[in-house]
Amino acid sequence: MVRVAERSVKEPAWVQRFSHFCAGRVGLLPDGSLKILSPGKADEGLYTCTARNPLGSSSLTSRLQITGHKGQSCLEGNSMGVDGSVCPESSNGSQALELCHGQDCPLRWRVAPWSSCSSTCGGGFQIRSVSCVRGPEDGAGEVDSRRCSGVGRRPPDTRPCNLLPCALWASTPWGPCNGHCAGPGWATQHRHVYCQDRNATKVPQRMCSGLKRPSSLRNCSTDACALQWRVGPWTQCTATCGRHGFQSRQVTCTHRRTGKPSREHHCTWRPRPPSWQRCNILSCGRAGECRDSTRYCEKVQQLELCPLPQFKNRCCQSCRNT
């Protein structure tokens, strides 16, 4: 008995042609293995094992080659004899090819080494010779490729190579560290990034789209950005009570060490402190009580602005006699 393949086995055409001869001698075991009783030369050929499930199928082809050696019959590529004994090393595939003669030698595909790539970049191809041969390794003869159709799929004779594009990213040197301040002592610097071909000629950026683009912006250290917000004292509130009082203060962006002022946008990496706020927002007294709510009421009276409702309300005490 010979086990050629596990799971299901697809019988080759020769089995169908000689089914009357093999009836009762060739069959399948319950586990899907192929059973051949008293195998001989007539049983040689290709056996295909096919495994299927809901996701698809996969096949593996094995060749059965019966070679005689010291009274044994061995399978090509296996170390177990058909009678269960261990075959000597001479029963492997390469030794079998050396021992075969003429039509007894199996058909097989022979491939030559791959050629060098046709291009160094941008997508080239390699080629090799693929031929159908029969005979021992040291003297195999080429036959019509159609005769190897049953040996297995023909190996490819071309393949792609050097697929990276022929263009590369390039960049200018980094510019001065005087860009927008990114933190205390940190600024930004820029450089120009562009795509060029192998001759250093600028080309459209799409030709470098398959490559990682270098950064064109980075942080850099500079004392020019050792800046901070500096605030002055609050002014006196414009009102002693009510809803209309406010006070202000000066807010500047200055250098931490020298105190020299700088443009405010250099300090925007931190929130800007407020430069004004409301003050003295407490009620000015009981309902109906007449009190001034701003310290400018004396000027309002001098400028004779009391007849205007907005000033009369805020300077109620100063304007009550006018």
Side-chain angles (χ1 to χ4, degrees), residues 7 30 61 78 117 129 220 242 272:
R7 300 185 183 276
T61 300
N78 292 346
C117 192
S129 172
C220 54
R272 186 183 190 278

Side-chain angles (χ1 to χ4, degrees), residues 76-182:
E76 178 187 350
N78 292 346
S79 60
M80 184 66 70
V82 295
D83 57 356
S85 60
V86 178
C87 293
E89 292 297 325
S90 61
S91 65
N92 62 28
S94 60
Q95 295 292 339
L97 288 176
E98 293 179 2
L99 296 174
C100 68
H101 299 282
Q103 297 301 317
D104 293 334
C105 293
L107 291 166
R108 65 189 184 277
W109 292 110
R110 181 172 62 186
V111 296
W114 288 106
S115 68
S116 58
C117 192
S118 62
S119 177
T120 58
C121 61
F125 62 90
Q126 293 173 285
I127 61 174
R128 66 178 178 182
S129 172
V130 178
S131 56
C132 178
V133 298
R134 180 195 291 273
E137 282 293 335
D138 57 353
E142 185 173 349
V143 297
D144 191 336
S145 296
R146 290 175 293 183
R147 299 183 63 181
C148 279
S149 59
V151 177
R153 180 176 298 179
R154 183 182 188 273
D157 54 11
T158 62
R159 69 178 181 183
C161 53
N162 293 340
L163 301 179
L164 289 178
C166 290
L168 297 172
W169 289 111
S171 62
T172 60
W174 288 103
C177 186
N178 59 1
H180 180 75
C181 291

Side-chain angles (χ1 to χ4, degrees), residues 5-69:
E6 298 296 329
R7 300 185 183 276
S8 64
V9 177
K10 181 181 179 182
E11 293 183 343
W14 67 268
V15 174
Q16 299 176 2
R17 292 197 301 269
F18 297 99
S19 58
H20 66 283
F21 174 77
C22 299
R25 197 173 58 80
V26 178
L28 294 177
L29 295 176
D31 64 356
S33 301
L34 181 66
K35 179 181 71 173
I36 303 178
L37 298 178
S38 301
K41 283 291 184 179
D43 298 308
E44 292 182 338
L46 289 178
Y47 293 79
T48 301
C49 171
T50 302
R52 294 185 176 87
N53 63 20
L55 299 179
S57 64
S58 180
S59 298
L60 180 65
T61 300
S62 298
R63 169 177 290 279
L64 177 61
Q65 177 74 30
I66 307 299
T67 59
H69 183 80

